[in-house]
Amino acid sequence: MGARSLSVLLLPLLLAAAATPAPRDGEPRSCEAVRKVFQLRQLGSLRGVPEFPRAGVDLQVCTSKNPTCCTKKMEERYQTAAKQDIQQVLQTSSATLKFLISHNAAAFQETFEMLIKLAENYTSTLFCNAYRNMAAEAATHVQEFFTDVALFVFGTDISIEEFVNRFFDTLFPVVYNHMINPGLTDVTLEYAECLQMARRDIRPFGNIPKKIIGRMGRSLLPSRNFLQALNLGIEVINTTDHLHFSKDCSRALLRMQYCPHCQGLILSKPCMGYCLNVIRGCLAYMAEVDLHWQRYIQSLEELSSAMHGTYDVEHVLLNFHSLVNDALMQARVNGPELTEQVKKVCGPPVRKSTQSPHCSFDQNKYYQGLKMFSRDSEETLASRRKEFISHLRLYRAFYGGLADQLCGNELAAADGLPCWNGEDVVKSYTHRVVGSGIKAQSGNPEVRVKGADPVINQIIDKLKHVIQLLRGKSFPKYDNWDLRQTGSGGSVDEQMSGDCDDEDGCRGSGSGEVRRVLKITDFLLVQT
């Protein structure tokens, strides 16, 4: 976890101060060691630090019956330093977790952008190769469709059903003009608008638009929620990294970390039980995040395990062009019948005097662009997502065990060594050690914990909401989209077997099915 930063920071200070240890009776003969540490820590001017012990009648926290090397001004500086120290340790403790999530959030977003662009290129190539005479007109509609896909995946509040229907609405006049009832020139704008409005009633593409809506919903929604959840994870860590400490906690941190200095005990560390009481008291609100954090990671894991087959965004996007081809073929087969239906609704075709240009798609540039997509059937988006989750799972108990980790790795004295108990150096801490969380702090002898932290409560509410999203309970259902029935133990492919047959195109179609073979760059996963 790399949680030795504070010890490394203090090492030269401790070495410098070790030359002037306090006598065994606990009363320092000189404050020289304290002055050295105070100066090296840059806590303030040495002019305010006594050279020899004095009575500490003005001290509020680091009180002692013995003479002291501290003043009230030093006590204030020490309290600020104690809070800064614990915040630094907290940030160091969470640094690897934060980097794991933030790096992968950025990498997954970039991968989705690559997938969307690749799917758009596949679709443009389909038109240029198989339907060249309508490719130029279709290009704008293809581009607009994938722009909508990207907007949805990255969080814009738009409807999948709406933008899929809009794509086929705008595509129908192009298909009618060039495939169903071709002429020497294009139909007029008014006639094209009539065709758009009639498309959903005439249904020239059969059931394929509805099928695409279902597939897009089942794949894009989980991907969108997956990205949103990762961004929330970063927000949770940023919030807890900059936790506001109460006045009572600040005083307890001062007493634990720097009050020994006042007695010349600059090398002493707090007893383990004492440290746990102080840190568990200070992090009591943060410990309340633990249960929701565990559920958050579990929900991410369940969602990731369920994103296969018709839930797999890679599979759905890279085979979108195949379904478009099926839709066009269906319109061609039913051409005579569609012509009669159109005449009943819009009348005979009304054409303008110009002809649309042919395909202008630069396929050479497209194929050069594909070189950045290394192909490897063994390394898919799903496999990388699974690997990321396996690393994230190691942090499920991060918030629940944070106080133990900080005291065990950083702050407290090793077992069997003399230690500071808040008043003196002793063999062991004799007070009761409380558990984690707000309720357990009622018997904490070191820190009083009152009420609740509104910032932490807000983070918990956000975690609850994203857990609902990840479990598929807070957005529209598309066909049988409901992850509550899957989880990590169930196969979506088995549960969706009724939805994935030859008619659905799961085994391929007129333009051929693209297998899930997009390789993601090696930087996507951060090894911990």
Side-chain angles (χ1 to χ4, degrees):
M1 187 178 71
R4 297 286 179 182
S5 59
L6 188 59
S7 297
V8 172
L9 180 66
L10 292 177
L11 182 59
L13 316 181
L14 299 179
L15 291 175
T20 54
R24 291 182 179 273
D25 60 8
E27 182 178 330
R29 297 192 187 101
S30 167
C31 297
E32 183 62 25
V34 177
R35 288 169 59 85
K36 286 181 180 179
V37 174
F38 195 86
Q39 183 180 35
L40 288 170
R41 284 297 311 271
Q42 298 181 345
L43 298 180
S45 172
L46 283 180
R47 286 179 298 179
V49 182
E51 295 184 8
F52 297 97
R54 54 180 284 279
V57 293
D58 56 343
L59 300 182
Q60 296 182 346
V61 178
C62 299
T63 56
S64 173
K65 59 184 179 181
N66 298 322
T68 177
C69 287
C70 288
T71 64
K72 183 178 180 181
K73 191 68 174 177
M74 288 175 65
E75 194 178 50
E76 292 172 357
R77 296 292 178 87
Y78 278 146
Q79 182 160 315
T80 300
K83 289 192 291 185
Q84 292 174 343
D85 289 347
I86 199 67
Q87 284 184 331
Q88 181 184 351
V89 172
L90 282 173
Q91 292 169 18
T92 302
S93 300
S94 65
T96 304
L97 171 60
K98 181 178 178 180
F99 187 67
L100 173 69
I101 298 177
S102 61
H103 198 72
N104 278 278
F108 278 120
Q109 176 164 329
E110 182 178 346
T111 301
F112 287 137
E113 291 171 351
M114 291 162 57
L115 273 173
I116 292 167
K117 188 61 180 176
L118 185 57
E120 180 181 342
N121 289 342
Y122 279 175
T123 309
S124 297
T125 300
L126 166 70
F127 279 100
C128 278
N129 289 345
Y131 308 99
R132 194 170 185 83
N133 60 338
M134 70 174 81
E137 286 185 82
T140 300
H141 308 311
V142 170
Q143 185 179 20
E144 289 175 350
F145 173 79
F146 283 102
T147 297
D148 286 336
V149 169
L151 288 172
F152 180 85
V153 170
F154 300 130
T156 302
D157 187 18
I158 58 177
S159 164
I160 292 176
E161 183 175 4
E162 180 181 329
F163 68 70
V164 171
N165 276 323
R166 182 165 59 246
F167 171 72
F168 283 103
D169 288 345
T170 56
L171 188 62
F172 181 42
V174 182
V175 174
Y176 180 84
N177 186 51
H178 294 282
M179 180 184 292
I180 298 173
N181 193 357
L184 295 177
T185 58
D186 298 336
V187 296
T188 62
L189 179 60
E190 292 78 9
Y191 198 81
E193 289 176 349
C194 180
L195 291 172
Q196 287 187 35
M197 295 177 64
R199 196 276 302 175
R200 300 185 198 190
D201 293 326
I202 296 175
R203 300 181 71 242
F205 306 116
N207 201 41
I208 290 183
K210 182 180 178 182
K211 186 182 298 182
I212 290 175
I213 290 170
R215 289 192 178 188
M216 287 285 176
R218 290 194 298 266
S219 62
L220 298 186
L221 271 170
S223 299
R224 166 186 169 126
N225 292 330
F226 188 82
L227 283 179
Q228 289 181 343
L230 295 190
N231 288 325
L232 177 62
I234 299 168
E235 182 182 348
V236 170
I237 297 168
N238 283 336
T239 300
T240 55
D241 273 355
H242 299 88
L243 190 68
H244 173 73
F245 296 112
S246 68
K247 181 178 180 180
D248 203 69
C249 165
S250 299
R251 293 165 65 93
L253 289 172
L254 165 62
R255 186 179 296 109
M256 182 179 80
Q257 294 286 83
Y258 286 101
C259 284
H261 290 214
C262 298
Q263 298 183 31
L265 303 170
I266 57 172
L267 296 177
S268 69
K269 281 192 168 188
C271 303
M272 177 60 76
Y274 174 49
C275 179
L276 288 174
N277 276 342
V278 172
I279 301 301
R280 284 176 179 173
C282 287
L283 303 187
Y285 302 120
M286 191 187 299
E288 297 298 308
V289 175
D290 177 53
L291 177 62
H292 307 285
W293 181 257
Q294 292 193 44
R295 290 174 178 170
Y296 161 78
I297 293 181
Q298 181 183 0
S299 299
L300 271 174
E301 183 178 358
E302 291 172 354
L303 178 66
S304 180
S305 298
M307 290 165 67
H308 297 289
T310 53
Y311 292 97
D312 182 7
V313 67
E314 187 176 354
H315 173 88
V316 170
L317 286 177
L318 297 187
N319 285 283
F320 172 77
H321 72 289
S322 178
L323 285 177
V324 170
N325 184 65
D326 290 346
L328 298 179
M329 293 296 292
Q330 184 162 338
R332 172 180 283 169
V333 170
N334 297 326
E337 180 183 344
L338 290 173
T339 299
E340 292 302 316
Q341 289 180 284
V342 167
K343 284 182 180 179
K344 293 178 181 179
V345 178
C346 300
V350 180
R351 299 186 179 277
K352 54 189 178 182
S353 58
T354 57
Q355 176 68 35
S356 296
H358 290 298
C359 176
S360 60
F361 182 62
D362 188 349
Q363 295 193 56
N364 290 329
K365 182 178 180 181
Y366 159 62
Y367 284 118
Q368 289 174 1
L370 284 187
K371 291 180 181 179
M372 67 179 291
F373 294 93
S374 177
R375 318 288 291 183
D376 185 346
S377 61
E378 298 301 318
E379 189 170 33
T380 65
L381 177 60
S383 67
R384 281 297 192 174
R385 191 172 52 238
K386 181 179 180 181
E387 189 174 353
F388 163 64
I389 292 295
S390 72
H391 285 82
L392 186 62
R393 193 186 297 121
L394 301 176
Y395 294 91
R396 287 180 66 168
F398 175 75
Y399 285 105
L402 190 55
D404 299 68
Q405 198 169 20
L406 296 185
C407 290
N409 293 350
E410 279 281 356
L411 304 174
D415 290 340
L417 294 181
C419 55
W420 174 255
N421 70 352
E423 296 178 355
D424 203 352
V425 174
V426 295
K427 291 184 178 179
S428 63
Y429 183 69
T430 56
H431 292 296
R432 174 194 171 206
V433 179
V434 300
S436 298
I438 294 176
K439 292 182 179 179
Q441 303 313 307
S442 59
N444 193 325
E446 310 298 343
V447 184
R448 291 179 297 176
V449 179
K450 300 178 182 179
D453 187 326
V455 175
I456 293 296
N457 286 347
Q458 186 178 38
I459 282 293
I460 289 174
D461 287 341
K462 290 183 178 182
L463 280 171
K464 288 179 178 178
H465 176 66
V466 85
I467 289 167
Q468 296 291 311
L469 290 179
L470 293 173
R471 293 180 175 178
K473 298 178 181 179
S474 296
F475 42 72
K477 301 296 185 291
Y478 289 88
D479 296 348
N480 291 332
W481 163 245
D482 190 350
L483 289 183
R484 287 173 293 179
Q485 300 174 3
T486 60
S488 58
S491 168
V492 174
D493 290 328
E494 294 173 2
Q495 297 186 39
M496 295 299 298
S497 60
D499 292 342
C500 192
D501 51 27
D502 287 341
E503 184 182 357
D504 282 340
C506 294
R507 298 182 185 175
S509 62
S511 60
E513 180 184 357
V514 178
R515 295 180 61 81
R516 294 181 294 115
V517 292
L518 178 67
K519 180 177 180 179
I520 295 129
T521 50
D522 290 335
F523 72 85
L524 204 156
L525 243 296
V526 179
Q527 299 294 331
T528 59

